Amino acid sequence: MKTRRDFLSQLGLGAASAMSIPLLSSFESDSSIKDVKKTGIITEERPELLVPNGNALRITGTFLDEISHDIPHQNWGEKEWDRDFAHMKAIGIDTVIMIRSGYRKFITYNSEYLINKRGCYKPGVDLLDMYLRLADKHKMKFYFGLYDSGVYWDTGDMTTEIEANKFVIEEVWKKYGHYKSFSGWYLSGEISRKTKGAIESFRTLGQLCKDVSGGLPTFMSPWIDGKKAVMAASGKLSKEDAVSVQEHEKEWGEIFDGIKGAVDACAFQDGHIDYDELDAFFSVNKKLGDKYGLECWTNAETFDRDMPIKFFPIKFEKLRLKLEAAQRAGYQKGITFEFSHFMSPQSAYLQAGHLYDRYKEYFGIK
């Protein structure tokens, strides 16, 4: 038996060795396998897409979600933020928007007013100064996001946000307005239709920003009250009482008419409507913007609202559909909520770096 086992063992090894010769030769001729030997990474050529490459509005701006509301904090310091600004710049982002300078008691800069009069916590570092220095370094435009007291979220009344921001706007311009990158203001209240006090609040705050800064532009980013406009804490993904295109046009026509001159651009959040509704709503938004003198931007959300887990980076195909619709509608600028969590190669989410790569492939960015 020992002799027989030895014979079979030797036979098997010989056969395997013989069979491996042509296979290894074939593998050796494959450049990707040669790369594996050198780096341990398989490289593949990009597959041809079934749709035209780059036929969409590019993302050229992003929110900076440092004072997070419902997104996990990544605990970055200046080194990580500097690296992220470089990643943004590499795909053509030229504008960064601090989504809010504070939320309830957490704030981004050492505000005497918010600490002494509103009881806010003193921040450990001046994040506003850091963002402005990095924007200067990377030659980007910086938009300052106003303070969010949280009272609006509790009461539904936007007018409560006016009082605190009167002081914040003046304080920030006095302390930080000298930065070259300080290019505008973001009216950070997230509203939709029929929000109490919306017209008065946005008109008042937009005009205050302009008066203080010599006319720097202002913009807002409301949400469309579509089928996916459900609370983040809700277990539901959609609702029945979604707004119609006709209602949306009527109600937002009234809002735009009331804020014209004080607000320069509107970037509707694009994730609350379904993908086959994009063209209808986007065309109405552009029509309203043209009529009332507001630039029409899109807030192309790079997180997925279609999943029960909130929130993960979006599938590239979904982002592509939204950016292509924005291009068809003639939108002037594409911004996103938001690059650092959902699209950055150094995000805590592994999928974000892959979204970054797919985006670069689609637009032919090296």
Side-chain angles (χ1 to χ4, degrees), residues 226-273:
K227 64 174 66 176
K228 291 189 274 186
V230 296
M231 295 297 291
S234 169
K236 296 181 178 180
L237 296 177
S238 62
K239 63 178 186 176
E240 298 296 328
D241 57 336
V243 70
S244 69
V245 176
Q246 293 75 21
E247 289 174 307
H248 176 79
E249 182 172 8
K250 178 181 181 297
E251 291 163 355
W252 277 98
E254 294 171 359
I255 296 173
F256 278 17
D257 188 33
I259 64 174
K260 61 186 178 184
V263 181
D264 297 294
C266 181
F268 278 104
Q269 300 169 26
D270 69 2
H272 295 96
I273 54 177

mmCIF file of all heavy atoms in Angstrom, residues 226-273:
data_model
loop_
_atom_site.group_PDB
_atom_site.id
_atom_site.type_symbol
_atom_site.label_atom_id
_atom_site.label_comp_id
_atom_site.label_asym_id
_atom_site.label_seq_id
_atom_site.Cartn_x
_atom_site.Cartn_y
_atom_site.Cartn_z
ATOM 1 N N GLY A 226 -41.703 65.726 -1.535
ATOM 2 C CA GLY A 226 -42.056 64.570 -2.354
ATOM 3 C C GLY A 226 -42.333 63.324 -1.536
ATOM 4 O O GLY A 226 -42.400 63.345 -0.306
ATOM 5 N N LYS A 227 -42.448 62.197 -2.233
ATOM 6 C CA LYS A 227 -42.842 60.937 -1.589
ATOM 7 C C LYS A 227 -41.801 60.425 -0.605
ATOM 8 O O LYS A 227 -42.106 59.661 0.309
ATOM 9 C CB LYS A 227 -43.142 59.876 -2.644
ATOM 10 C CG LYS A 227 -41.934 59.479 -3.494
ATOM 11 C CD LYS A 227 -42.260 58.313 -4.429
ATOM 12 C CE LYS A 227 -43.267 58.696 -5.480
ATOM 13 N NZ LYS A 227 -43.495 57.585 -6.445
ATOM 14 N N LYS A 228 -40.529 60.846 -0.766
ATOM 15 C CA LYS A 228 -39.474 60.396 0.143
ATOM 16 C C LYS A 228 -39.127 61.422 1.218
ATOM 17 O O LYS A 228 -38.113 61.289 1.906
ATOM 18 C CB LYS A 228 -38.225 60.005 -0.667
ATOM 19 C CG LYS A 228 -38.419 58.754 -1.507
ATOM 20 C CD LYS A 228 -37.127 58.244 -2.121
ATOM 21 C CE LYS A 228 -36.816 58.915 -3.427
ATOM 22 N NZ LYS A 228 -35.639 58.331 -4.105
ATOM 23 N N ALA A 229 -39.974 62.429 1.360
ATOM 24 C CA ALA A 229 -39.755 63.470 2.373
ATOM 25 C C ALA A 229 -40.314 63.012 3.712
ATOM 26 O O ALA A 229 -41.348 63.480 4.181
ATOM 27 C CB ALA A 229 -40.402 64.778 1.936
ATOM 28 N N VAL A 230 -39.616 62.068 4.333
ATOM 29 C CA VAL A 230 -40.013 61.546 5.642
ATOM 30 C C VAL A 230 -38.914 61.893 6.643
ATOM 31 O O VAL A 230 -37.752 62.107 6.275
ATOM 32 C CB VAL A 230 -40.245 60.024 5.601
ATOM 33 C CG1 VAL A 230 -41.405 59.682 4.685
ATOM 34 C CG2 VAL A 230 -38.989 59.284 5.142
ATOM 35 N N MET A 231 -39.257 61.952 7.902
ATOM 36 C CA MET A 231 -38.279 62.270 8.936
ATOM 37 C C MET A 231 -37.196 61.195 8.982
ATOM 38 O O MET A 231 -37.474 60.004 8.825
ATOM 39 C CB MET A 231 -38.972 62.370 10.297
ATOM 40 C CG MET A 231 -39.957 63.524 10.403
ATOM 41 S SD MET A 231 -39.170 65.149 10.227
ATOM 42 C CE MET A 231 -38.224 65.228 11.745
ATOM 43 N N ALA A 232 -35.970 61.638 9.225
ATOM 44 C CA ALA A 232 -34.852 60.695 9.258
ATOM 45 C C ALA A 232 -35.037 59.640 10.340
ATOM 46 O O ALA A 232 -34.608 58.496 10.183
ATOM 47 C CB ALA A 232 -33.549 61.456 9.477
ATOM 48 N N ALA A 233 -35.695 60.015 11.434
ATOM 49 C CA ALA A 233 -35.899 59.071 12.531
ATOM 50 C C ALA A 233 -37.042 58.097 12.264
ATOM 51 O O ALA A 233 -37.223 57.129 13.002
ATOM 52 C CB ALA A 233 -36.175 59.841 13.825
ATOM 53 N N SER A 234 -37.784 58.330 11.186
ATOM 54 C CA SER A 234 -38.907 57.463 10.865
ATOM 55 C C SER A 234 -38.427 56.154 10.248
ATOM 56 O O SER A 234 -37.409 56.108 9.562
ATOM 57 C CB SER A 234 -39.844 58.177 9.876
ATOM 58 O OG SER A 234 -40.802 57.285 9.357
ATOM 59 N N GLY A 235 -39.178 55.094 10.475
ATOM 60 C CA GLY A 235 -38.849 53.811 9.864
ATOM 61 C C GLY A 235 -39.350 53.688 8.442
ATOM 62 O O GLY A 235 -39.032 52.731 7.739
ATOM 63 N N LYS A 236 -40.128 54.666 8.003
ATOM 64 C CA LYS A 236 -40.696 54.628 6.660
ATOM 65 C C LYS A 236 -39.724 55.222 5.639
ATOM 66 O O LYS A 236 -38.901 56.071 5.957
ATOM 67 C CB LYS A 236 -42.011 55.402 6.618
ATOM 68 C CG LYS A 236 -43.116 54.811 7.496
ATOM 69 C CD LYS A 236 -44.400 55.623 7.375
ATOM 70 C CE LYS A 236 -45.514 55.022 8.213
ATOM 71 N NZ LYS A 236 -46.771 55.806 8.117
ATOM 72 N N LEU A 237 -39.868 54.768 4.389
ATOM 73 C CA LEU A 237 -39.051 55.298 3.298
ATOM 74 C C LEU A 237 -39.847 56.229 2.390
ATOM 75 O O LEU A 237 -39.265 56.958 1.582
ATOM 76 C CB LEU A 237 -38.469 54.151 2.465
ATOM 77 C CG LEU A 237 -37.492 53.227 3.190
ATOM 78 C CD1 LEU A 237 -37.050 52.104 2.268
ATOM 79 C CD2 LEU A 237 -36.287 54.002 3.704
ATOM 80 N N SER A 238 -41.175 56.206 2.492
ATOM 81 C CA SER A 238 -42.003 57.049 1.632
ATOM 82 C C SER A 238 -43.312 57.368 2.338
ATOM 83 O O SER A 238 -43.629 56.799 3.379
ATOM 84 C CB SER A 238 -42.280 56.355 0.293
ATOM 85 O OG SER A 238 -43.009 55.155 0.506
ATOM 86 N N LYS A 239 -44.052 58.306 1.742
ATOM 87 C CA LYS A 239 -45.337 58.694 2.304
ATOM 88 C C LYS A 239 -46.337 58.878 1.174
ATOM 89 O O LYS A 239 -45.971 58.989 -0.007
ATOM 90 C CB LYS A 239 -45.196 59.985 3.106
ATOM 91 C CG LYS A 239 -44.762 61.200 2.277
ATOM 92 C CD LYS A 239 -44.681 62.451 3.113
ATOM 93 C CE LYS A 239 -44.382 63.671 2.252
ATOM 94 N NZ LYS A 239 -44.385 64.923 3.032
ATOM 95 N N GLU A 240 -47.600 58.940 1.524
ATOM 96 C CA GLU A 240 -48.664 59.036 0.529
ATOM 97 C C GLU A 240 -48.960 60.477 0.112
ATOM 98 O O GLU A 240 -49.237 60.756 -1.051
ATOM 99 C CB GLU A 240 -49.951 58.396 1.068
ATOM 100 C CG GLU A 240 -49.828 56.900 1.365
ATOM 101 C CD GLU A 240 -49.558 56.078 0.113
ATOM 102 O OE1 GLU A 240 -50.036 56.462 -0.980
ATOM 103 O OE2 GLU A 240 -48.866 55.046 0.221
ATOM 104 N N ASP A 241 -48.906 61.402 1.072
ATOM 105 C CA ASP A 241 -49.337 62.780 0.793
ATOM 106 C C ASP A 241 -48.213 63.629 0.195
ATOM 107 O O ASP A 241 -47.821 64.660 0.746
ATOM 108 C CB ASP A 241 -49.886 63.437 2.059
ATOM 109 C CG ASP A 241 -48.867 63.426 3.194
ATOM 110 O OD1 ASP A 241 -47.969 62.568 3.186
ATOM 111 O OD2 ASP A 241 -48.967 64.294 4.083
ATOM 112 N N ALA A 242 -47.672 63.177 -0.923
ATOM 113 C CA ALA A 242 -46.595 63.904 -1.593
ATOM 114 C C ALA A 242 -47.162 65.063 -2.402
ATOM 115 O O ALA A 242 -48.279 65.004 -2.913
ATOM 116 C CB ALA A 242 -45.820 62.963 -2.507
ATOM 117 N N VAL A 243 -46.370 66.124 -2.525
ATOM 118 C CA VAL A 243 -46.801 67.296 -3.273
ATOM 119 C C VAL A 243 -46.831 66.985 -4.772
ATOM 120 O O VAL A 243 -46.013 66.208 -5.282
ATOM 121 C CB VAL A 243 -45.861 68.488 -2.988
ATOM 122 C CG1 VAL A 243 -44.490 68.263 -3.610
ATOM 123 C CG2 VAL A 243 -46.456 69.802 -3.463
ATOM 124 N N SER A 244 -47.781 67.582 -5.472
ATOM 125 C CA SER A 244 -47.816 67.453 -6.931
ATOM 126 C C SER A 244 -46.923 68.515 -7.560
ATOM 127 O O SER A 244 -46.555 69.504 -6.904
ATOM 128 C CB SER A 244 -49.246 67.616 -7.443
ATOM 129 O OG SER A 244 -49.689 68.955 -7.273
ATOM 130 N N VAL A 245 -46.578 68.325 -8.806
ATOM 131 C CA VAL A 245 -45.756 69.304 -9.508
ATOM 132 C C VAL A 245 -46.486 70.653 -9.561
ATOM 133 O O VAL A 245 -45.868 71.717 -9.392
ATOM 134 C CB VAL A 245 -45.427 68.813 -10.932
ATOM 135 C CG1 VAL A 245 -44.656 69.884 -11.699
ATOM 136 C CG2 VAL A 245 -44.628 67.517 -10.881
ATOM 137 N N GLN A 246 -47.796 70.625 -9.770
ATOM 138 C CA GLN A 246 -48.585 71.859 -9.856
ATOM 139 C C GLN A 246 -48.600 72.595 -8.520
ATOM 140 O O GLN A 246 -48.433 73.830 -8.471
ATOM 141 C CB GLN A 246 -50.021 71.536 -10.289
ATOM 142 C CG GLN A 246 -50.157 70.998 -11.711
ATOM 143 C CD GLN A 246 -49.708 69.542 -11.838
ATOM 144 O OE1 GLN A 246 -49.659 68.791 -10.844
ATOM 145 N NE2 GLN A 246 -49.368 69.132 -13.054
ATOM 146 N N GLU A 247 -48.787 71.873 -7.419
ATOM 147 C CA GLU A 247 -48.760 72.500 -6.090
ATOM 148 C C GLU A 247 -47.375 73.075 -5.799
ATOM 149 O O GLU A 247 -47.248 74.176 -5.252
ATOM 150 C CB GLU A 247 -49.123 71.472 -5.022
ATOM 151 C CG GLU A 247 -50.573 71.041 -5.005
ATOM 152 C CD GLU A 247 -50.801 69.915 -4.015
ATOM 153 O OE1 GLU A 247 -50.083 68.897 -4.083
ATOM 154 O OE2 GLU A 247 -51.700 70.067 -3.165
ATOM 155 N N HIS A 248 -46.349 72.309 -6.136
ATOM 156 C CA HIS A 248 -44.974 72.751 -5.915
ATOM 157 C C HIS A 248 -44.712 74.070 -6.646
ATOM 158 O O HIS A 248 -44.135 75.004 -6.075
ATOM 159 C CB HIS A 248 -44.017 71.667 -6.414
ATOM 160 C CG HIS A 248 -42.566 72.036 -6.334
ATOM 161 N ND1 HIS A 248 -41.841 71.974 -5.163
ATOM 162 C CD2 HIS A 248 -41.697 72.477 -7.301
ATOM 163 C CE1 HIS A 248 -40.589 72.352 -5.413
ATOM 164 N NE2 HIS A 248 -40.487 72.660 -6.693
ATOM 165 N N GLU A 249 -45.148 74.157 -7.878
ATOM 166 C CA GLU A 249 -44.924 75.377 -8.660
ATOM 167 C C GLU A 249 -45.654 76.569 -8.045
ATOM 168 O O GLU A 249 -45.100 77.667 -7.932
ATOM 169 C CB GLU A 249 -45.382 75.168 -10.100
ATOM 170 C CG GLU A 249 -45.148 76.379 -10.987
ATOM 171 C CD GLU A 249 -45.429 76.106 -12.441
ATOM 172 O OE1 GLU A 249 -45.953 75.015 -12.763
ATOM 173 O OE2 GLU A 249 -45.125 76.981 -13.285
ATOM 174 N N LYS A 250 -46.876 76.380 -7.629
ATOM 175 C CA LYS A 250 -47.667 77.470 -7.053
ATOM 176 C C LYS A 250 -47.064 77.973 -5.737
ATOM 177 O O LYS A 250 -46.864 79.181 -5.545
ATOM 178 C CB LYS A 250 -49.101 77.008 -6.825
ATOM 179 C CG LYS A 250 -50.011 78.052 -6.185
ATOM 180 C CD LYS A 250 -51.412 77.493 -5.982
ATOM 181 C CE LYS A 250 -52.334 78.541 -5.355
ATOM 182 N NZ LYS A 250 -51.882 78.952 -4.001
ATOM 183 N N GLU A 251 -46.761 77.033 -4.848
ATOM 184 C CA GLU A 251 -46.294 77.419 -3.521
ATOM 185 C C GLU A 251 -44.892 78.016 -3.552
ATOM 186 O O GLU A 251 -44.620 79.012 -2.862
ATOM 187 C CB GLU A 251 -46.346 76.200 -2.598
ATOM 188 C CG GLU A 251 -47.778 75.777 -2.280
ATOM 189 C CD GLU A 251 -47.905 74.373 -1.734
ATOM 190 O OE1 GLU A 251 -46.876 73.668 -1.675
ATOM 191 O OE2 GLU A 251 -49.028 73.977 -1.373
ATOM 192 N N TRP A 252 -44.014 77.437 -4.372
ATOM 193 C CA TRP A 252 -42.666 77.980 -4.436
ATOM 194 C C TRP A 252 -42.612 79.253 -5.273
ATOM 195 O O TRP A 252 -41.714 80.078 -5.081
ATOM 196 C CB TRP A 252 -41.685 76.924 -4.922
ATOM 197 C CG TRP A 252 -41.273 76.066 -3.770
ATOM 198 C CD1 TRP A 252 -41.764 74.847 -3.431
ATOM 199 C CD2 TRP A 252 -40.341 76.426 -2.746
ATOM 200 N NE1 TRP A 252 -41.196 74.412 -2.262
ATOM 201 C CE2 TRP A 252 -40.322 75.348 -1.817
ATOM 202 C CE3 TRP A 252 -39.535 77.527 -2.520
ATOM 203 C CZ2 TRP A 252 -39.508 75.364 -0.683
ATOM 204 C CZ3 TRP A 252 -38.730 77.548 -1.379
ATOM 205 C CH2 TRP A 252 -38.712 76.474 -0.487
ATOM 206 N N GLY A 253 -43.554 79.451 -6.150
ATOM 207 C CA GLY A 253 -43.665 80.728 -6.849
ATOM 208 C C GLY A 253 -43.924 81.855 -5.857
ATOM 209 O O GLY A 253 -43.345 82.945 -5.961
ATOM 210 N N GLU A 254 -44.779 81.595 -4.876
ATOM 211 C CA GLU A 254 -45.078 82.592 -3.847
ATOM 212 C C GLU A 254 -43.844 82.873 -2.980
ATOM 213 O O GLU A 254 -43.564 84.030 -2.641
ATOM 214 C CB GLU A 254 -46.231 82.098 -2.971
ATOM 215 C CG GLU A 254 -47.554 81.988 -3.709
ATOM 216 C CD GLU A 254 -48.630 81.299 -2.882
ATOM 217 O OE1 GLU A 254 -48.324 80.894 -1.729
ATOM 218 O OE2 GLU A 254 -49.761 81.156 -3.376
ATOM 219 N N ILE A 255 -43.107 81.814 -2.632
ATOM 220 C CA ILE A 255 -41.910 81.997 -1.811
ATOM 221 C C ILE A 255 -40.840 82.762 -2.576
ATOM 222 O O ILE A 255 -40.247 83.726 -2.060
ATOM 223 C CB ILE A 255 -41.374 80.633 -1.320
ATOM 224 C CG1 ILE A 255 -42.398 79.961 -0.396
ATOM 225 C CG2 ILE A 255 -40.036 80.801 -0.600
ATOM 226 C CD1 ILE A 255 -42.036 78.542 0.006
ATOM 227 N N PHE A 256 -40.573 82.365 -3.810
ATOM 228 C CA PHE A 256 -39.554 83.047 -4.614
ATOM 229 C C PHE A 256 -39.908 84.512 -4.831
ATOM 230 O O PHE A 256 -39.038 85.394 -4.810
ATOM 231 C CB PHE A 256 -39.389 82.347 -5.965
ATOM 232 C CG PHE A 256 -38.494 81.130 -5.931
ATOM 233 C CD1 PHE A 256 -38.162 80.506 -4.740
ATOM 234 C CD2 PHE A 256 -37.972 80.595 -7.104
ATOM 235 C CE1 PHE A 256 -37.346 79.393 -4.706
ATOM 236 C CE2 PHE A 256 -37.153 79.475 -7.095
ATOM 237 C CZ PHE A 256 -36.836 78.877 -5.887
ATOM 238 N N ASP A 257 -41.171 84.787 -5.032
ATOM 239 C CA ASP A 257 -41.614 86.164 -5.223
ATOM 240 C C ASP A 257 -41.329 86.990 -3.970
ATOM 241 O O ASP A 257 -40.974 88.172 -4.057
ATOM 242 C CB ASP A 257 -43.109 86.186 -5.543
ATOM 243 C CG ASP A 257 -43.594 87.567 -5.952
ATOM 244 O OD1 ASP A 257 -42.814 88.320 -6.589
ATOM 245 O OD2 ASP A 257 -44.742 87.919 -5.631
ATOM 246 N N GLY A 258 -41.457 86.364 -2.783
ATOM 247 C CA GLY A 258 -41.257 87.079 -1.538
ATOM 248 C C GLY A 258 -39.811 87.276 -1.139
ATOM 249 O O GLY A 258 -39.504 88.166 -0.332
ATOM 250 N N ILE A 259 -38.893 86.465 -1.679
ATOM 251 C CA ILE A 259 -37.483 86.556 -1.271
ATOM 252 C C ILE A 259 -36.570 87.083 -2.382
ATOM 253 O O ILE A 259 -35.371 87.239 -2.156
ATOM 254 C CB ILE A 259 -36.960 85.185 -0.799
ATOM 255 C CG1 ILE A 259 -36.971 84.164 -1.950
ATOM 256 C CG2 ILE A 259 -37.769 84.675 0.376
ATOM 257 C CD1 ILE A 259 -36.339 82.819 -1.594
ATOM 258 N N LYS A 260 -37.131 87.374 -3.542
ATOM 259 C CA LYS A 260 -36.297 87.836 -4.660
ATOM 260 C C LYS A 260 -35.540 89.103 -4.268
ATOM 261 O O LYS A 260 -36.065 89.966 -3.563
ATOM 262 C CB LYS A 260 -37.160 88.093 -5.901
ATOM 263 C CG LYS A 260 -38.213 89.160 -5.723
ATOM 264 C CD LYS A 260 -39.114 89.249 -6.929
ATOM 265 C CE LYS A 260 -40.210 90.307 -6.729
ATOM 266 N NZ LYS A 260 -41.173 90.347 -7.846
ATOM 267 N N GLY A 261 -34.289 89.152 -4.684
ATOM 268 C CA GLY A 261 -33.443 90.280 -4.345
ATOM 269 C C GLY A 261 -32.629 90.049 -3.085
ATOM 270 O O GLY A 261 -31.518 90.576 -2.957
ATOM 271 N N ALA A 262 -33.158 89.275 -2.146
ATOM 272 C CA ALA A 262 -32.436 88.975 -0.911
ATOM 273 C C ALA A 262 -31.741 87.626 -0.968
ATOM 274 O O ALA A 262 -30.781 87.384 -0.229
ATOM 275 C CB ALA A 262 -33.396 89.011 0.279
ATOM 276 N N VAL A 263 -32.228 86.731 -1.826
ATOM 277 C CA VAL A 263 -31.635 85.402 -2.006
ATOM 278 C C VAL A 263 -31.259 85.251 -3.472
ATOM 279 O O VAL A 263 -32.083 85.478 -4.356
ATOM 280 C CB VAL A 263 -32.615 84.289 -1.578
ATOM 281 C CG1 VAL A 263 -31.967 82.920 -1.757
ATOM 282 C CG2 VAL A 263 -33.058 84.479 -0.129
ATOM 283 N N ASP A 264 -30.019 84.870 -3.731
ATOM 284 C CA ASP A 264 -29.511 84.847 -5.105
ATOM 285 C C ASP A 264 -29.631 83.495 -5.788
ATOM 286 O O ASP A 264 -29.671 83.425 -7.014
ATOM 287 C CB ASP A 264 -28.041 85.275 -5.115
ATOM 288 C CG ASP A 264 -27.869 86.711 -4.629
ATOM 289 O OD1 ASP A 264 -28.339 87.633 -5.309
ATOM 290 O OD2 ASP A 264 -27.280 86.887 -3.548
ATOM 291 N N ALA A 265 -29.652 82.423 -5.013
ATOM 292 C CA ALA A 265 -29.698 81.087 -5.626
ATOM 293 C C ALA A 265 -30.465 80.137 -4.720
ATOM 294 O O ALA A 265 -30.497 80.301 -3.498
ATOM 295 C CB ALA A 265 -28.286 80.550 -5.869
ATOM 296 N N CYS A 266 -31.066 79.139 -5.349
ATOM 297 C CA CYS A 266 -31.780 78.098 -4.613
ATOM 298 C C CYS A 266 -31.306 76.740 -5.109
ATOM 299 O O CYS A 266 -31.345 76.461 -6.314
ATOM 300 C CB CYS A 266 -33.286 78.237 -4.808
ATOM 301 S SG CYS A 266 -34.255 77.003 -3.912
ATOM 302 N N ALA A 267 -30.832 75.908 -4.166
ATOM 303 C CA ALA A 267 -30.359 74.557 -4.504
ATOM 304 C C ALA A 267 -31.291 73.558 -3.841
ATOM 305 O O ALA A 267 -31.061 73.134 -2.701
ATOM 306 C CB ALA A 267 -28.923 74.361 -4.037
ATOM 307 N N PHE A 268 -32.362 73.181 -4.528
ATOM 308 C CA PHE A 268 -33.290 72.207 -3.957
ATOM 309 C C PHE A 268 -32.580 70.875 -3.711
ATOM 310 O O PHE A 268 -31.810 70.399 -4.552
ATOM 311 C CB PHE A 268 -34.469 71.968 -4.900
ATOM 312 C CG PHE A 268 -35.562 72.993 -4.800
ATOM 313 C CD1 PHE A 268 -35.705 73.963 -5.777
ATOM 314 C CD2 PHE A 268 -36.457 72.980 -3.736
ATOM 315 C CE1 PHE A 268 -36.717 74.914 -5.696
ATOM 316 C CE2 PHE A 268 -37.469 73.916 -3.638
ATOM 317 C CZ PHE A 268 -37.606 74.896 -4.622
ATOM 318 N N GLN A 269 -32.835 70.260 -2.560
ATOM 319 C CA GLN A 269 -32.358 68.912 -2.286
ATOM 320 C C GLN A 269 -33.070 67.950 -3.240
ATOM 321 O O GLN A 269 -34.283 68.009 -3.387
ATOM 322 C CB GLN A 269 -32.662 68.550 -0.834
ATOM 323 C CG GLN A 269 -32.009 69.478 0.177
ATOM 324 C CD GLN A 269 -32.516 69.270 1.590
ATOM 325 O OE1 GLN A 269 -32.967 68.185 1.940
ATOM 326 N NE2 GLN A 269 -32.453 70.312 2.411
ATOM 327 N N ASP A 270 -32.309 67.067 -3.886
ATOM 328 C CA ASP A 270 -32.894 66.255 -4.968
ATOM 329 C C ASP A 270 -33.320 64.859 -4.545
ATOM 330 O O ASP A 270 -33.778 64.065 -5.360
ATOM 331 C CB ASP A 270 -31.919 66.156 -6.148
ATOM 332 C CG ASP A 270 -30.677 65.328 -5.844
ATOM 333 O OD1 ASP A 270 -30.564 64.783 -4.719
ATOM 334 O OD2 ASP A 270 -29.804 65.222 -6.726
ATOM 335 N N GLY A 271 -33.195 64.525 -3.248
ATOM 336 C CA GLY A 271 -33.425 63.141 -2.852
ATOM 337 C C GLY A 271 -34.825 62.795 -2.397
ATOM 338 O O GLY A 271 -35.098 61.637 -2.081
ATOM 339 N N HIS A 272 -35.737 63.775 -2.364
ATOM 340 C CA HIS A 272 -37.069 63.519 -1.820
ATOM 341 C C HIS A 272 -38.100 63.124 -2.874
ATOM 342 O O HIS A 272 -39.257 62.846 -2.544
ATOM 343 C CB HIS A 272 -37.567 64.753 -1.065
ATOM 344 C CG HIS A 272 -36.741 65.072 0.150
ATOM 345 N ND1 HIS A 272 -35.722 65.999 0.122
ATOM 346 C CD2 HIS A 272 -36.772 64.571 1.411
ATOM 347 C CE1 HIS A 272 -35.177 66.070 1.327
ATOM 348 N NE2 HIS A 272 -35.776 65.213 2.126
ATOM 349 N N ILE A 273 -37.692 63.133 -4.123
ATOM 350 C CA ILE A 273 -38.582 62.716 -5.205
ATOM 351 C C ILE A 273 -37.984 61.502 -5.889
ATOM 352 O O ILE A 273 -36.788 61.216 -5.746
ATOM 353 C CB ILE A 273 -38.821 63.852 -6.219
ATOM 354 C CG1 ILE A 273 -37.473 64.398 -6.743
ATOM 355 C CG2 ILE A 273 -39.646 64.963 -5.596
ATOM 356 C CD1 ILE A 273 -37.614 65.475 -7.815
#
